[in-house]
């Protein structure tokens, strides 16, 4: 009979150890969540107005500590040296260039008939400088020239190829890919609530075109680079938009962007109804699907995003969620899945 108390005392330490282990795991979970969410905020938590913390009209590049004013026509002509052409679109030609031993990008208008698009892009670039937008270094309106920061990984079209380079294979994980998708949705949210009002990303009629508008930074974040087609919506005043004057086809563009009167009626831009920013929302699931790729865990992420993505594809634009609602959902899913990875047995232990 005297042995029973002794036996009970021997059972107590394992229970105390289990409780201590649970506390330790909770602390570890909190630490992991803090690190991941700090990294997440790093992608969208720098100064809203200016990523380099310079005042408007100034920039800081590389290791230079002081802010420099945007380069003028004279400074660009005198100090910037073209190295090679790295791209050409309908509006502009793009040159890898050099300024004071820094690689930069020089963009020049190629078709004078599209000068309004070029100047609109410059106007947007100046007004929207933020953590979401490529950094402007200078411009020359009279020569139709824009100078921006260089990002060696290029546009998002090359994301999968980049992630197969040995140096970057460690980035090819579901959580890193989801964070890129969060960056993308953050940009859409920023455009829909920008300092200028609600802006629509019109240059987005297919996935390849969308990806070409964004850059992948060396620290694996997303920036919008091309703002030539960014019209303003103002619902209160009845101001809606049309993305171009040609007929748009295919499942990638939103239903309201397609000709509504059937094949028997020839397309007529004057009869085409305008629409609002919810066209961007329709495209988010397809772009995010590209981001997520086919790595281990990506299908689990897709499962958690199924409901919000289904809502994005509602035929009635008014029933689609806002970019902010999608962003909030993405962040919640990231937090949830990190918790499950950090503590796979949490539910059973509790």
């Amino acid at each position: 009979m005297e042995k029973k108390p002794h036996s009970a005392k021997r059972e107590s330490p394992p229970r105390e150890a289990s409780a201590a282990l649970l506390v330790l795991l909770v602390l570890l979970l909190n630490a992991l969540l803090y690190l991941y969410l700090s990294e997440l905020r790093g992608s969208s938590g720098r100064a809203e107005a200016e990523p380099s913390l310079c005042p408007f009209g100034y920039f800081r590049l590389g290791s230079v500590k002081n802010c420099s004013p945007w380069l003028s026509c004279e400074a660009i002509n005198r100090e910037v040296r073209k190295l090679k052409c790295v791209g050409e679109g309908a509006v502009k030609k793009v040159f890898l260039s050099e300024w004071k031993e820094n690689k930069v990008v020089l963009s020049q208008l190629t078709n004078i008939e599209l000068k309004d698009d070029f100047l609109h892009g410059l106007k947007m670039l100046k007004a929207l400088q933020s953590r979401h937008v490529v950094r402007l270094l200078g411009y020359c309106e009279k020569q139709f020239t824009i100078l921006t920061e260089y990002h060696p990984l290029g546009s998002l079209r090359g994301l999968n190829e980049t992630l197969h380079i040995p140096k970057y294979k460690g980035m090819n994980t579901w959580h890193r890919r989801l964070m890129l998708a969060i960056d993308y949705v953050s940009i859409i949210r920023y455009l829909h609530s920008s300092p200028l009002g609600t802006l629509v990303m019109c240059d987005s009629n297919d996935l390849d075109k969308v990806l070409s508008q964004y850059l992948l930074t060396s620290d694996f974040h997303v920036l919008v680079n091309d703002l030539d087609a960014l019209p303003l919506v103002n619902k209160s005043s009845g101001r809606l938009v049309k993305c171009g004057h040609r007929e748009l086809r295919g499942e990638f563009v939103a239903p309201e962007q397609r000709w509504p009167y059937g094949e028997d009626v020839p397309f007529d831009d004057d009869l085409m109804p305008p629409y609002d920013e919810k066209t961007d929302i329709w495209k988010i699931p397809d772009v995010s699907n590209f981001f997520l790729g086919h790595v281990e865990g990506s299908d689990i992420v897709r499962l958690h995003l199924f409901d919000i993505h289904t809502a994005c594809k509602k035929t009635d634009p008014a029933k689609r969620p806002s970019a902010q609602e999608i962003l909030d959902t993405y962040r919640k899913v990231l937090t949830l899945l990190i918790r499950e990875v950090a503590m796979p047995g949490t539910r059973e232990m509790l």
Side-chain angles (χ1 to χ4, degrees), residues 10 23 32 48 59 62-64 85 89 110 112 115-116 147 191 198 209 216 219 232 253 266 289 336 342-343:
R10 283 189 306 194
V23 171
L32 286 170
E48 182 76 36
F59 70 92
S63 59
V64 178
C85 179
T110 55
I112 196 64
K115 67 177 183 179
D116 289 342
L147 193 70
L191 295 179
T198 301
K209 188 63 176 176
L216 180 65
D219 58 349
L232 180 68
V253 297
N289 187 56
L336 171 67
M343 295 180 64

Side-chain angles (χ1 to χ4, degrees), residues 29 33 36-37 40 174 178 182 328-341:
L29 168 63
L33 286 176
Y36 271 90
L37 294 178
L40 177 61
W174 68 262
L178 178 55
I182 289 173
D328 291 342
T329 301
Y330 276 37
R331 286 173 171 166
K332 287 176 183 177
V333 168
L334 175 63
T335 303
L336 171 67
L337 292 178
I338 290 172
R339 182 186 297 125
E340 291 183 354
V341 169

Side-chain angles (χ1 to χ4, degrees), residues 247 249 259-272:
E247 182 178 3
R249 296 177 177 269
W259 178 243
Y261 302 117
E263 295 290 339
D264 296 334
V265 181
F267 177 80
D268 185 340
D269 186 49
D270 292 333
L271 299 178
M272 180 67 197

Side-chain angles (χ1 to χ4, degrees), residues 35-46 131-134 151-156 159 162-163 168 171 175-184 186-187 214-224 291 334:
L35 290 173
Y36 271 90
L37 294 178
S38 294
E39 186 175 8
L40 177 61
R41 285 192 292 270
S43 71
S44 57
R46 292 171 282 176
R131 64 182 182 263
H132 304 294
V133 179
V134 68
H151 293 280
L153 296 183
S155 80
L156 288 177
L159 174 63
T162 297
L163 288 171
Y168 298 113
M171 299 286 192
H175 52 84
R176 175 60 66 174
R177 284 177 169 270
L178 178 55
M179 289 173 72
L180 290 175
I182 289 173
D183 274 357
Y184 166 71
S186 297
I187 293 171
Y214 297 86
L215 295 171
L216 180 65
T217 68
S218 295
D219 58 349
F220 269 72
H221 294 299
V222 179
L223 296 174
V224 63
F291 277 121
L334 175 63

Side-chain angles (χ1 to χ4, degrees), residues 192 198 200 232-240 275-278 317-318 320 322:
H192 287 184
T198 301
V200 182
L232 180 68
V233 165
N234 189 333
K235 293 178 187 176
S236 61
S237 65
R239 181 176 179 175
L240 300 176
Y275 34 82
D276 62 21
E277 78 281 0
K278 290 298 184 76
R320 296 173 202 155
S322 67

Side-chain angles (χ1 to χ4, degrees), residues 13-137:
R15 286 199 298 269
E16 293 175 357
S18 297
L21 178 60
L22 178 59
V23 171
L24 181 62
L25 287 173
V26 170
L27 292 174
L28 175 61
L29 168 63
N30 290 334
L32 286 170
L33 286 176
Y34 176 80
L35 290 173
Y36 271 90
L37 294 178
S38 294
E39 186 175 8
L40 177 61
R41 285 192 292 270
S43 71
S44 57
R46 292 171 282 176
E48 182 76 36
E50 171 56 49
S52 65
L53 301 180
C54 290
F56 181 79
Y58 289 75
F59 70 92
R60 183 163 52 209
L61 194 61
S63 59
V64 178
K65 294 183 179 180
N66 298 325
C67 295
S68 302
W70 287 338
L71 301 186
S72 63
C73 297
E74 294 74 17
I76 291 174
N77 292 333
R78 183 178 63 251
E79 300 172 11
V80 176
R81 181 170 65 95
K82 290 181 185 177
L83 299 178
K84 63 178 180 178
C85 179
V86 292
E88 183 173 2
V91 178
K92 53 186 176 285
K93 185 178 288 188
V94 180
F95 297 90
L96 175 62
S97 304
E98 190 174 56
W99 174 73
K100 294 187 176 180
E101 300 182 352
N102 292 291
K103 295 273 177 55
V104 294
V105 174
L106 188 72
S107 301
Q108 292 184 316
L109 178 68
T110 55
N111 185 349
I112 196 64
E113 294 180 359
L114 298 175
K115 67 177 183 179
D116 289 342
D117 291 339
F118 184 90
L119 293 176
H120 177 74
L122 173 58
K123 177 185 176 182
M124 294 294 105
L125 194 55
K126 289 192 290 184
L128 298 175
Q129 282 296 288
S130 68
R131 64 182 182 263
H132 304 294
V133 179
V134 68
R135 191 171 303 171
L136 178 64
L137 309 180

